[in-house]
Amino acid sequence: MNEMRPLLKAATRKSDALPLNLSRRSFLGASLGALALGVVLPAGGRAFAQEAAPAIVPGTRVNAYIQIQPDSTVLFRSAFIEGGQGIFTAMAQIVGEELDVDPTQFVVEGAPPGPDYTLIGGYRFTGGSMSVRKSYDAMRQLGAAARQMLLQAAATQLGVPMAELATQPGRVIYAASNRSIPYGDLATAAAALPVPTDVPLRAREDFRWIGKPVARIDIRDKSTGKATYAIDLKVDGMLYGAVQHGVRLGMEPGALANEDEVKAMPGVHSVHRLPGAVAVLANSWWRARRAVEALQITWAEAAPGSTVRVMPADYSSEKHLADLKARTGDGLAFETHGEVGPALAGAARIVEASFDAPHLAHAQLEPPSAIARFNADGTLEVWAPNQAPEMFQADAAKVAGIAPEKVIIHSPILGGFFGRHFLYQTANPYQQAIILAKATGRPVKLLWTREEEFLRDALRPMSVARFRAGLDASGMPVALSAVTVGEGATGRWFGRTADKVDSSAVEGIAGKVYAIGNRRVGQIHVDDPAIIGFWRSVGHSMNDFFYETFFDEMADAGKQDPYELRRRLLADSPRHRALIEAVAELSGGWKRGPFTAEDGTRRARGVAMASPFGSEVATIAEVSLKQGEVVVHNVWVAVDPGSIVNPAIIEAQVNSAVALGLSSALLEEVVYEGGVPRARNYDGYPILPPDRMPKVHVRIVESGAPMGGIGEPGLPGVPPAVVNAASVLTGQRIRSLPLSRSNLTDMAG
């Protein structure tokens, strides 16, 4: 499907005409005398006419990002959305380092749509663990340019050469006369200066904030309930909306048997039919919810020829998994090295296995919501959780039937996301809010219940992978063939070409650095009937489980220790070998087990490697078995992101990723029966409880390689490390997730 491709194009065309839309906070700041460096924006927040202006180079216009207030604090507009991953703090550290402003003096908010913020290959989104690594150089240069403008303004005011001036946090210093000028006093003069280019950057050894465990700048507001999420927002005169969707995709509302009675319920404003849903608007959300749940709706199948995606009435997870497993062949090749066929034919031993992983929900804590308001000037304002403001702007314009430049997108902080807030078909409430606001002429806040969220979430795809490896007489692998079966999220939303493999369907299997001379990775594409999407670490979340678990099967078949075999096959890759040795050292030395711990439990350890999103990760898990369930006691993670901005945030992200990876390995799965997901809330979709969270030990290794991501890389190694450890205790290989499906017994004791 190509739903996102036209939206990407729409988000970039006429980019110089997109509104900057200063937030209310920015407007108030400007009215009190705060000035943006570079070009002073009008209070209305729109850029000056730029049809004849040179094309904007993303990340270079200081005024689009930095606004110095009269008190010398800095309002910074981030191209990336904060969702708990710490990006606002990282931006304050990077820019503050070169601007010479303490990160604690920053107020950071999500930037509006606009060409200044398309820092990822001409696009803009928060995902793929790309935010810091794709903007690091540009943001440093931006801060350095702003600092030089302030120095130049001070030099003019003092009548001295700029070379005689220096800065201390938030002020320019003239040591010869023991004078200093706060940045806030220089902002007006600096705003009139051109933005310099090629400004020298601070030397790494002089960093004060980059590379340091700076405290999160948003932690106080989040800890005291002052942080504002989409679910908290209100606008004057708004109606509250609740919806009831058809339980199966493709069902449309027909007759409403008790519509008049529902309209007469207290506080109800109106009842509306929507594509695939019915909505009730009322003067409170609780009243809207009670009313919509009281509706007696007759649901009908979508009309023949409809463009609506339809979930077959007989679809089940069991049938879909059986279909994936039944597919034969090697699929379309994605990666080929050497001669796999002859190497397998000449192998002393063949090892084969098939693995599978289920659909997963995002299950983030904040249920989806949106506010839509049409203004008297013909603009539409939308407040909606999102990871891609320009894409949402383009789609909102399409829904409303207006030009994109008339759509003002507000991007609040996210109450968890993990890939949930991209532009997925039928999985976002903002389109419904726009339709309802247009129908009523009133602002509408629409909030989905947890049940509606579980019904319409965009899921991680279900996948199957088959492996075949050849070992020589000494037990060393000489060939490996792998094929994944299913559909990748990237191909679904950004377009799939029939003669090319979707990289998201094979990442975590392709690109492995183990020195196996003959290898091939392929894919057999099978459409997934569900609405699928990006889930934290995307294809790595299941493919590294498939590969790294099969690796241990190869090791066992060849009578090799799995840790030592990895080390041996990484001999020509010093970065990876150093990392696996670092995680072993962190764990107190590699020991597979079984062994008896101090508390008397019989335990074992498993190891796994992963190379997601430009970073390298090695993981060891220590587990025991209790009443047929896996108990994870410790997880050790060595992560090499090349270079770092904030070690405290890295450690927090690794802990978070371990929790989610462990939850997916032990408990999580979306099960369909009759075309409908079985679970509609957390009671049917258990996630990792606090008492099952292990101790997590993190070591950061800075190899000096190009900067990698950090939000997702800690996850993929967890499921295989846990499963490899559990298999030592059970004496049997485990090839399917989650582990809660299996009653595991300690056969090694």
Side-chain angles (χ1 to χ4, degrees), residues 98 183 195 219 228 260 262 333 362 451 510 550 567 570 649 731 749:
E98 300 295 345
Y183 281 180
V195 178
I219 195 67
T228 302
D260 290 339
V262 169
H362 289 93
E451 289 75 16
F550 180 70
R567 285 186 69 249
L570 294 173
I649 288 178

Side-chain angles (χ1 to χ4, degrees), residues 10 27 71 73 124 142 271 387 409 528 545-546 563 580 598 645 690:
F27 173 78
D71 63 358
T73 60
R124 175 190 179 191
L142 193 80
V271 177
Q387 293 175 242
I409 295 288
D528 196 315
F545 159 68
F546 299 153
Y563 170 80
I580 197 170
E598 291 182 358
V645 171

